[in-house]
Amino acid sequence: MDTFDYIVVGGGSAGCVVANRLSADPDVSVCLIEAGGNGKSPWVSIPAGIFGLYGNKKYDYSFVTVPQKHLCNRVMDVNRGKALGGSSAINSMVYMRGNRNDYDGWAALGCEGWSYDEVLPVFKNMEANQIGQSAEYHGFEGELSVSEQQDANSVGKVFVAAGQVAGLPENTDFNGPSQLGLGIYNVKQNRGQRVSSYTAFLQPVENRSNLTIMTHTQVLELDIVDQKVLGLTIEKAGVKQPLQCKKEVILCAGTILSPRILLASGIGNRDELDQLGIDCKHHVPGVGENLQDHIDSMVTVRSAKAESIGVSLKTLLPHVLPAPLKYFLGRKGWWTTNYVEAGGFAKTKLAEADKTDADVQFHFTPLYRSHRGKKFEWGHGYSVFTCVLRPLSKGSVKLANDGSRRNVEIDYNFFAHSHDQQTLVEGVKKARQILASSEFDHLRGEEMAPGKEVQTDAQILEYLRRTASTVYHPVGTCKMGTDAMAVVHPGTLKVTGMDNLRVMDASIMPRLTSGNTSAPTMMIAERGAAMVLAEQQGQ
């Protein structure tokens, strides 16, 4: 039987960081287990390759939800990365931390040690900022490269200028003192190539003699006796085998799969486990609960002008055919796009009334996004995606009652709370206000969605029920805290009732951060690994 000191489950945004930090000690053995492959593909490294990643089951788990009862019983995609780097290998690379009130809010919920002033130094230590932004908020010596986009499309700059007409200032640093305003997003890239948690933290150390990396390997369940994890059962190429753990098992499998592993191993709500025929080892009712994500809408405009990214006779010779050459010779051209090139944050009238932070985020794409749901459309245009930053609706991840202990039922429960409905309706109206600016006059075209016939709040809400999606930022299903529904303790990230089992990924967030969640997940991993090392040194 293979035996390791530390077993890290999941080689994604968090797991690559944890494996790096723990294996830095040559006297301990570390095993990192990843269900996907190594992710070494041009689709992953070239920014525009995102187009071929979402829904590609080689790189994407391609989960789906149960029918969403508040969204016309639609089944929704839940795209999650399946490769070393996890979702940081397939996402849009936007570098976003969230704001001060997000983390101070965690601390107010009982998560001592997670305030903004306490997590900011962690973000800075991990960052290799290439833009020259303020040292008060940024670091320059870390592993995670943060850069400007190589060749941002001019239409994104039009969006930023239009925001100023609508009362939204230009913001050149969403990770600085304020998130409010619009700007061109900074990205996790280095010389025009994707930087994932794998390329930043794992690839440079993957040849360490004390580090074993297992890909295409699924963790089925943990071997638990009393308060300790003795090991776990893995499956590779259809063959099951046990692994033994001498020190700790650390779950970094993400918001969907970390609770699945806990539940399959008998850690969860006793009543629900009994119904599934699973022996309850520890009654932890919060496992799989508290699921949150950013529900998202689209306003998309078709334009006859060929300034935006798009395939047409007008762009074939100047942009489409030369794109590979432009990219490989100078890291320029359309292959450099992350599609979500610009965006920002705004307050709806609801946030103004409540005197809170921005309550919606925009993701602007300088290309026409199909109003019919097609992956590709000929022609040109531009689109604004608007999401609810701090949703009040909460869902769950449960084990499917099919006897497999492998499959999950994901229920976002989107729009269960009326405040989320009202916020997104107002967000759509705010997006339309920006697009109505005279800055867009030279690109003006027909709004294909929601469409000119959708104007009243009731009509917009109905449009959202039929079309709203997600920005793919699921968090919260193993939340940290001190209340009865907490799964891990804020000071150790240990699972309730367990001595040597921790969770370190986006699932521990008690509340969703204001913005993209990749960088915050890496921060969680960095802090969690430091907790392990500090505890081991103290023994």
Side-chain angles (χ1 to χ4, degrees):
M1 182 187 301
D2 292 333
T3 302
F4 302 92
D5 291 312
Y6 297 103
I7 299 176
V8 182
V9 179
S13 294
C16 290
V17 177
V18 174
N20 174 309
R21 300 310 189 227
L22 298 185
S23 64
D25 180 354
D27 293 330
V28 301
S29 58
V30 179
C31 177
L32 176 66
I33 302 172
E34 167 57 38
N38 60 27
K40 294 179 179 178
S41 163
W43 285 112
V44 174
S45 61
I46 297 171
I50 302 168
F51 190 82
L53 297 176
Y54 282 98
N56 183 335
K57 293 193 176 182
K58 182 178 180 181
Y59 304 103
D60 183 355
Y61 278 101
S62 298
F63 297 116
V64 294
T65 66
V66 300
Q68 297 296 285
K69 60 185 177 182
H70 304 291
L71 299 178
C72 302
N73 285 315
R74 289 186 291 124
V75 171
M76 305 174 71
D77 292 330
V78 183
N79 301 107
R80 309 310 299 150
K82 188 180 182 182
L84 290 175
S87 293
S88 73
I90 71 169
N91 66 9
S92 296
M93 295 160 277
V94 174
Y95 182 70
M96 190 74 64
R97 300 173 182 166
N99 65 45
R100 172 178 289 275
N101 288 336
D102 292 331
Y103 299 102
D104 288 348
W106 289 6
L109 290 172
C111 298
E112 185 177 346
W114 293 88
S115 70
Y116 180 78
D117 288 336
E118 290 165 305
V119 303
L120 178 59
V122 183
F123 280 116
K124 291 171 64 175
N125 288 340
M126 300 179 79
E127 183 183 4
N129 188 282
Q130 299 180 8
I131 308 166
Q133 292 171 312
S134 168
E136 183 178 355
Y137 297 98
H138 294 279
F140 307 92
E141 305 297 329
E143 297 102 322
L144 188 66
S145 174
V146 176
S147 71
E148 294 179 322
Q149 293 175 52
Q150 290 289 109
D151 198 6
N153 186 272
S154 62
V155 179
K157 297 168 187 175
V158 173
F159 175 73
V160 176
Q164 295 178 59
V165 177
L168 290 168
E170 181 177 4
N171 191 331
T172 59
D173 186 3
F174 294 110
N175 300 298
S178 171
Q179 287 187 311
L180 195 68
L182 306 183
I184 305 298
Y185 280 139
N186 296 334
V187 289
K188 300 189 294 296
Q189 292 181 9
N190 186 19
R191 296 192 295 273
Q193 289 187 296
R194 173 189 294 275
V195 173
S196 69
S197 61
Y198 167 67
T199 61
F201 298 101
L202 188 64
Q203 192 173 32
V205 304
E206 62 186 351
N207 292 324
R208 285 175 177 168
S209 59
N210 62 329
L211 175 60
T212 300
I213 301 172
M214 296 183 178
T215 56
H216 300 292
T217 304
Q218 184 178 11
V219 172
L220 300 182
E221 60 183 299
L222 310 174
D223 178 14
I224 297 172
V225 175
D226 297 326
Q227 282 77 45
K228 292 187 72 69
V229 180
L230 303 182
L232 46 79
T233 301
I234 61 172
E235 182 178 78
K236 186 168 186 173
V239 178
K240 297 179 183 179
Q241 72 176 82
L243 297 181
Q244 190 170 346
C245 167
K246 289 195 287 188
K247 290 183 180 289
E248 295 195 23
V249 170
I250 299 165
L251 297 184
C252 299
T255 296
I256 307 302
L257 292 178
S258 283
R260 183 206 71 77
I261 293 169
L262 291 176
L263 292 168
S265 307
I267 297 177
N269 186 305
R270 184 182 304 278
D271 292 340
E272 294 181 2
L273 291 173
D274 286 347
Q275 293 174 12
L276 295 169
I278 298 174
D279 180 31
C280 181
K281 304 291 181 62
H282 289 280
H283 176 59
V284 187
V287 174
E289 302 295 334
N290 194 49
L291 176 62
Q292 301 162 54
D293 202 341
H294 291 133
I295 187 170
D296 188 60
S297 69
M298 177 179 73
V299 177
T300 187
V301 176
R302 189 184 283 282
S303 172
K305 298 297 180 66
E307 292 184 29
S308 64
I309 297 170
V311 179
S312 68
L313 292 177
K314 297 177 182 178
T315 58
L316 201 60
L317 290 177
H319 296 294
V320 178
L321 294 178
L325 196 62
K326 287 182 178 180
Y327 180 78
F328 287 115
L329 290 181
R331 293 292 190 262
K332 296 294 184 181
W334 284 1
W335 278 23
T336 67
T337 186
N338 69 333
Y339 300 104
V340 182
E341 291 191 354
F345 299 82
K347 292 184 179 185
T348 70
K349 67 179 185 181
L350 302 176
E352 296 284 3
D354 294 339
K355 295 182 172 58
T356 64
D357 294 328
D359 56 348
V360 293
Q361 180 181 6
F362 302 117
H363 293 87
F364 180 81
T365 60
L367 70 159
Y368 177 68
R369 291 297 294 267
S370 174
H371 64 289
R372 297 176 286 198
K374 290 185 176 181
K375 194 167 185 179
F376 173 79
E377 291 258 6
W378 291 92
H380 298 273
Y382 43 90
S383 310
V384 182
F385 294 82
T386 309
C387 71
V388 178
L389 277 180
R390 290 179 297 282
L392 299 181
S393 304
K394 296 180 181 180
S396 63
V397 173
K398 308 278 189 183
L399 272 186
N401 192 6
D402 59 7
S404 71
R405 301 194 186 187
R406 299 172 185 244
N407 300 319
V408 291
E409 294 182 348
I410 303 168
D411 184 3
Y412 278 125
N413 200 26
F414 279 141
F415 270 8
H417 202 290
S418 61
H419 190 273
D420 298 346
Q421 302 172 22
Q422 296 165 16
T423 300
L424 198 50
V425 167
E426 293 300 323
V428 169
K429 290 156 69 173
K430 184 73 72 171
R432 278 175 154 176
Q433 180 188 359
I434 297 169
L435 296 183
S437 161
S438 59
E439 296 288 338
F440 275 101
D441 282 351
H442 67 294
L443 298 170
R444 191 72 59 201
E446 182 181 358
E447 182 188 280
M448 305 301 291
K452 61 183 179 181
E453 71 282 357
V454 178
Q455 294 297 329
T456 68
D457 287 7
Q459 289 170 336
I460 295 172
L461 181 58
E462 178 57 27
Y463 164 74
L464 295 174
R465 291 190 191 280
R466 291 186 288 103
T467 63
S469 184
T470 159
V471 195
Y472 313 116
H473 298 156
V475 308
T477 51
C478 299
K479 77 166 190 172
M480 63 176 168
T482 55
D483 62 286
M485 295 300 287
V487 176
V488 300
H489 189 278
T492 62
L493 301 188
K494 288 184 179 179
V495 175
T496 300
M498 299 297 297
D499 293 335
N500 67 335
L501 175 62
R502 309 192 202 219
V503 182
M504 299 177 191
D505 56 35
S507 72
I508 74 160
M509 295 187 191
R511 283 185 184 164
L512 190 53
T513 53
S514 300
N516 311 68
T517 51
S518 180
T521 300
M522 295 179 193
M523 178 277 293
I524 287 169
E526 181 84 345
R527 293 213 70 209
M531 293 174 185
V532 175
L533 295 173
E535 187 171 311
Q536 293 301 323
Q537 291 170 2
Q539 289 181 352

